[in-house]
Structure formats: C-alpha cells, structure tokens
Amino acid sequence: MLFKLVTTLSLLLWICKADDVLKNNGQFPRNFMFGAASSAYQIEGAWNEDGKGLSTWDHFVRRTPSPVVDNTTGDVACDSYRRWKEDVKLVADLGVQSYRFSISWPRILPSGYDKHVNEKGLEFYKQLVQEIIKHGMVPVATIFHWDLPQFLFDNGLDWTNEELINVFVRYARFVIKNLPEVGYWITINEPRVHCRRSYGDGLHAPGVSDDGIGDYKCTYNILKAHAAVYRMYKREFPRYKAKMGMVVDCQWYEPASNRPEDVEAAERHYQFECGMYLHPIFQGDWPPLVKYRVAERSRREGYTKSRLPSFTAEEVKFMRGTQDFLGVNHYSTTSVSNVQEASYNETRFAHDIRVSINRKLNWEVSFLGWGVVPTGVRRLLNLFKERYNDPDVMFTEIGVADDGTTLRDDIRIRYFRSYFCNILEAMQVDKVSVVGIIPWSAMDSFEWHRGYEARFGFYAIDFENDPQLLRRPKMSVNYYKSIVESKRLHCNTAVSVWNDKEIL
Ligand code: GBH
C-alpha cells in the first residue's frame, strides 16, 4: 500500500516536472546571440553631409504633400551619424553580443556605382565596425535596408530593372571587401515589404505604384540579386568567416476558423508573404501555389504571360541554397479568412493573395494595431523546421511599438517575455534551432511612412521637443539586460500566454 502510494507520488512528481520543462530549464544556450537592431536611413540623419549622395528616401520625403503621416523626414533622425559612438555604447550597455546596423549605399557610393567612392562615408562604417568590436560585440551588417541611390533611380535603375543586379553586386563586393570584420552579412532586408511598398502600393520610396506587376518584377530581381551576392561572396572571399543570409518578414497566419477554405487562405497568405521568398532559396523556384495563382489570374485578366516572371532551370539551381541561416523579422499574428475571387477586370496583388486579415477578439493589440500573439512565433518556428529542413533561425527583428508617451513600456516587457518564452519552448521542446534574437530596435527612430509616430526602441528619443535628442532608457532596458546577462528566462504556462499582465 505504502509502496504504491510512493510510486504514484513520484510518478506524479515526474509528470509535473516533464510538463514544466522550462520552469527549471529556461536557459538559452551559452553561445546564443542577443542583440539590438537599427537601419541607416532610420537613425543616421546627415542626409546630405560629408559627400553623401541622395537616396530615394531623401527624395521621397521632400514630395508635397508629404508621403509621411506626420510630415517628418529622416534628415536628422537620431543624428546617429554623429552620435555613433554613444549609440554603440548604449547598445553594449544592454549586455548584448551583437549590433545590427545597415549601410547606406549612397553614403559610400554617392551615385550607386563603385567608380566613385566617398571615402568619408566608408570611413564612417569602418569606425563603426571597429567600435562594435571594441565593445565585444559582433557586427551584423545589412547591405540593403531600402535606401537606393537616387542617381540610379533617375537613370532607370530600380529593382524592377534586371540591370540593377550587377550594380548591386559591385556595391556589395565593395563593402564586403572593406569591412572584413563583419560577423553576419544580411544582403537584403525584407524584400517583400520593400517590393510591395516601393513598387506595388507606392507607400515607400521611390513611391512607384504598379500593383501586381512592379512588385513581382522587384521580387524577381531582388531575389536574383541576393543569390548573386551570395555566390560572389562564397567564390571571392573563401577565407571570410562571416555567415550570409537574406532577411524575410514572416508573421504567423492563423486560419480564422477550421473551415477548409480558411485553412487554405492562411496557407495562401503564408506562401504569398514568406514562401515566395524562402521557397526559391530553400527549395527552389516559386512556391507552386503562388506560381499557379498568379499565372491563372494573369491569363484571365488578359495578359499574354504571367505577371510573375519565371526562373529558368539554371536560375532555380543558382538560387537554391544561397543562405547560411534563415533570418526572420517577426512581429505579429493575423487571423486569416477566405474571400471570393475578385473580378478579372482589375490587376492587384490583393486579388492574387485573396485573403482577408483580422485579429481575434481575445488578442492583445499594440499601438500600431498589430496583435501580440506569442504562440504564433512558436508555430512559425515549427513550420520553418518542417518545411525548410531544420535551418538555423536568427531573429533579426522582433519587437513591439509604443506611442512614445512613457518610459514605462510594460507592453514591451510583456511582449519580450512571452515571445522569448515561446521561442525557448520551440528550442527545447520542439527542438527547433534558433541561434539568436536581435530585437527591433536599439532606439526610437524614423518609422518610414509612419514618421516618428511609432516607437520601437529600448531607448526613447523625444524628437519633437528635445533638440539634444537625448537617449533615455525605457523600463524594458533593465528587463532585457537581465535576460541577456543570465541567458535565463523564467517561463511557465502563465507567462507564455498572450494575456499575461504581470510585470517582473
Ligand atoms: C520592419 O518592417 C522594418 O524592417 C524596419 O525597418 C521597421 O522599422 C520595423 O519593421 C518596424 O516597423 O498585420 O498585425 O500582422 C516590418 C514590416 C511589420 C510588415 C508587421 C507586416 C504585420 C502586422 N512588417 N506587419 S500584422
């Protein structure tokens, strides 16, 4: 009897323990890389100084009426071109192992071509890289974070033109050669957002609206440009240790119901947003679903060929495998439902993807209206593992916006804790390989067409009232620091659900 009781009790204890893996073991691997991220146009300012050429963004923000919601520009932004030392130190103060920044193409090559180099611009990034290393961090450098040299655009060389690929490869070769100490190269940041916004709906510079056509041309060229840079890098820099990848933005797409048409809609959403970029690199060619739908709608809309350019067999081979890690920017989850096929009189990306997105009522929603749904990140990681043969995943952005009115950013603390717990669960329970987390962003900065409305930073900047642009740590700084220092996170089921309101 007693024996029975004891065995039952210990069995029970064992089950509790097994169930609660993370409680006792909420530990990131020792070599796990934490960081903080930024991008050139969003923080540097000094838009026309020291020999810098103009980018399409410098041009775009000068349009009237302003294409930016609060009529602001990145002319000054965080003034990081001057305060880079201070900024590197602020990032290092977080205790992190890496700083992700981007290189402004026209700051180094004012015309975009590598025949004329702006030495001061190059010097700036050389010093930046040195400073990051001096603080014991790994420089993670993005080669293209959306600021195309205006000169190229004026000469017809934008991402809808295949000729840009070679010019881009030359620029990439130049920066790689000159910044040998970079630890991770990111060729292109979020090709989907860039192509859709810049050549589809026109909300981003250069503001071209060619919905359902220009965006696909851009996608086609930018993917080939990524692959070309990767091949060039592996061929010409065999002794460099840095890993290279492209960064995609993928959210989690949750079917609005378990009706088959909603489940299919969620899959369509995934394939048109992420699959379109990951499939050519990890599996080869466009996702069949995307290829088929765009071809079919194109035909019915009266085009003689698909609006989605096709890859030759050689190109498919050339592109497959051009990634050392899967870089992902993840923010949110949407609830996806099916909509009816739209009329064939009109060409639109929205008609190709054919979904409607929503939030579920019980989801917390952040300042920009994006759902805070931590379980989405775990689901996404499992999908990557399944579909792309267990790649090393690196979060190159993850984060949440606040409205800039308080330093008590408890939503960010809640967001990071719950998202990180789900990432840990994916690593430990589902055996997904995650190598790093680089939150967006180091400090509040220019949020593209949203101007300074949304604040993603660990450090707050009062752009409106403070000419000194003082960086003030938000509450999340200490929280993040504590996780980064111990690489430990106390998770239990209560914290890994979306609606936990308790703050550490
Ligand atoms: C990134 O783009 C950029 O790389 C970065 O420069 C920028 O500052 C940062 O985000 C913050 O905006 O419909 O609720 O699921 C991210 C763009 C954000 C686009 C999430 C899709 C989906 C919101 N993506 N968004 S939701």
Side-chain angles (χ1 to χ4, degrees):
M1 179 63 195
L2 187 68
F3 176 73
K4 248 193 154 173
L5 192 76
V6 170
T7 39
T8 327
L9 266 178
S10 48
L11 188 71
L12 258 176
L13 261 173
W14 182 80
I15 289 173
C16 291
K17 243 180 131 177
D19 239 347
D20 211 353
V21 182
L22 296 181
K23 213 173 208 167
N24 304 309
N25 193 21
Q27 191 80 41
F28 287 93
R30 267 161 153 273
N31 59 353
F32 196 80
M33 191 171 86
F34 282 104
S38 68
S39 95
Y41 186 69
Q42 296 181 267
I43 65 163
E44 283 178 4
W47 69 289
N48 61 355
E49 289 170 48
D50 283 354
K52 175 180 169 295
L54 299 194
S55 77
T56 49
W57 271 94
D58 295 315
H59 232 251
F60 187 62
V61 297
R62 305 199 133 58
R63 280 190 182 180
T64 30
S66 166
V68 179
V69 295
D70 56 1
N71 302 318
T72 57
T73 72
D75 287 3
V76 178
C78 311
D79 195 27
S80 204
Y81 182 69
R82 287 199 187 72
R83 299 167 194 232
W84 55 278
K85 256 194 183 167
E86 175 191 349
D87 288 341
V88 172
K89 178 161 187 315
L90 288 175
V91 172
D93 285 348
L94 297 169
V96 296
Q97 293 80 30
S98 66
Y99 177 39
R100 176 182 176 216
F101 62 97
S102 87
I103 296 163
S104 158
W105 186 348
R107 192 179 294 288
I108 292 197
L109 306 176
S111 71
Y113 292 103
D114 62 351
K115 61 175 188 280
H116 167 58
V117 177
N118 176 28
E119 292 298 339
K120 282 193 171 161
L122 179 59
E123 200 45 41
F124 172 72
Y125 293 107
K126 281 186 171 166
Q127 289 185 338
L128 182 65
V129 166
Q130 283 320 310
E131 192 71 10
I132 295 169
I133 290 169
K134 202 179 92 190
H135 282 280
M137 299 187 289
V138 179
V140 178
T142 311
I143 300 174
F144 183 72
H145 201 125
W146 308 350
D147 43 358
L148 183 76
Q150 178 69 24
F151 184 82
L152 294 178
F153 181 77
D154 289 340
N155 286 281
L157 284 167
D158 61 33
W159 284 115
T160 63
N161 184 345
E162 205 157 352
E163 281 174 44
L164 183 59
I165 298 174
N166 282 328
V167 185
F168 180 68
V169 172
R170 296 182 71 97
Y171 155 57
R173 177 187 289 114
F174 182 81
V175 292
I176 293 167
K177 193 171 70 201
N178 281 287
L179 301 170
E181 282 161 301
V182 164
Y184 286 86
W185 284 109
I186 292 163
T187 52
I188 288 157
N189 179 69
E190 298 187 352
R192 179 198 65 102
V193 174
H194 184 61
C195 291
R196 279 288 305 140
R197 291 258 179 273
S198 296
Y199 303 98
D201 63 26
L203 282 176
H204 281 187
V208 176
S209 341
D210 190 9
D211 198 353
I213 300 175
D215 35 15
Y216 291 136
K217 283 188 194 153
C218 166
T219 300
Y220 171 76
N221 292 322
I222 221 166
L223 280 170
K224 290 209 295 187
H226 155 76
V229 168
Y230 184 89
R231 297 283 179 213
M232 173 276 290
Y233 173 59
K234 296 289 159 164
R235 196 175 52 242
E236 297 179 22
F237 300 89
R239 294 222 298 273
Y240 278 36
K241 295 275 179 305
K243 292 192 188 307
M244 181 179 277
M246 190 179 76
V247 157
V248 291
D249 75 300
C250 295
Q251 314 314 316
W252 175 252
Y253 313 94
E254 179 77 16
S257 77
N258 50 22
R259 286 173 25 234
E261 55 274 35
D262 287 341
V263 175
E264 277 166 33
E267 171 65 6
R268 249 191 338 273
H269 203 182
Y270 174 80
Q271 293 295 4
F272 271 88
E273 285 206 357
C274 310
M276 182 141 41
Y277 300 88
L278 292 174
H279 202 279
I281 293 173
F282 284 95
Q283 287 155 313
D285 210 348
W286 303 117
L289 188 156
V290 170
K291 202 172 169 174
Y292 173 78
R293 261 200 71 73
V294 183
E296 182 62 13
R297 274 202 66 96
S298 300
R299 192 177 63 75
R300 292 180 183 246
E301 288 165 10
Y303 295 87
T304 51
K305 56 180 192 191
S306 178
R307 290 178 275 106
L308 184 68
S310 48
F311 296 119
T312 64
E314 256 161 83
E315 285 171 342
V316 168
K317 223 179 112 201
F318 184 74
M319 295 168 69
R320 192 191 290 133
T322 53
Q323 188 114 305
D324 300 327
F325 60 94
L326 195 167
V328 63
N329 295 350
H330 177 81
Y331 288 87
S332 176
T333 287
T334 50
S335 164
V336 187
S337 37
N338 185 46
V339 293
Q340 289 230 310
E341 193 71 68
S343 112
Y344 296 106
N345 300 331
E346 207 188 13
T347 294
R348 284 169 66 95
F349 176 80
H351 297 340
D352 294 340
I353 185 169
R354 191 165 63 83
V355 296
S356 122
I357 59 169
N358 242 303
R359 330 238 167 276
K360 294 205 168 158
L361 287 174
N362 61 344
W363 289 351
E364 182 178 12
V365 166
S366 72
F367 175 63
L368 288 175
W370 303 353
V372 179
V373 191
T375 47
V377 75
R378 181 169 175 185
R379 298 216 163 97
L380 181 67
L381 284 169
N382 276 279
L383 182 145
F384 284 162
K385 179 181 160 128
E386 243 165 65
R387 292 200 179 173
Y388 308 121
N389 191 24
D390 200 8
D392 285 340
V393 179
M394 174 146 71
F395 286 92
T396 37
E397 288 180 23
I398 186 163
V400 67
D402 63 66
D403 63 5
T405 55
T406 171
L407 296 177
R408 300 180 61 85
D409 55 342
D410 29 63
I411 187 160
R412 186 162 292 106
I413 294 176
R414 213 152 61 229
Y415 178 100
F416 282 138
R417 182 163 56 163
S418 57
Y419 273 64
F420 290 1
C421 281
N422 273 272
I423 293 172
L424 259 180
E425 273 161 4
M427 294 168 72
Q428 295 183 359
V429 182
D430 314 331
K431 308 289 177 224
V432 171
S433 167
V434 181
V435 295
I437 301 179
I438 308 184
W440 185 268
S441 61
M443 59 201 134
D444 291 344
S445 64
F446 181 73
E447 276 295 330
W448 309 109
H449 69 286
R450 290 196 184 85
Y452 297 97
E453 271 192 2
R455 313 291 174 98
F456 282 86
F458 282 116
Y459 294 96
I461 299 179
D462 183 354
F463 297 96
E464 263 194 4
N465 307 309
D466 176 14
Q468 303 300 314
L469 298 173
L470 194 75
R471 282 90 161 119
R472 285 170 309 153
K474 298 181 193 173
M475 220 163 65
S476 55
V477 164
N478 274 331
Y479 177 67
Y480 188 49
K481 224 188 233 176
S482 72
I483 297 174
V484 168
E485 262 162 23
S486 60
K487 296 227 165 131
R488 180 179 274 277
L489 191 56
H490 295 285
C491 301
N492 53 47
T493 33
V495 299
S496 64
V497 296
W498 63 272
N499 61 350
D500 171 51
K501 292 276 189 285
E502 182 208 341
I503 311 292
L504 261 191

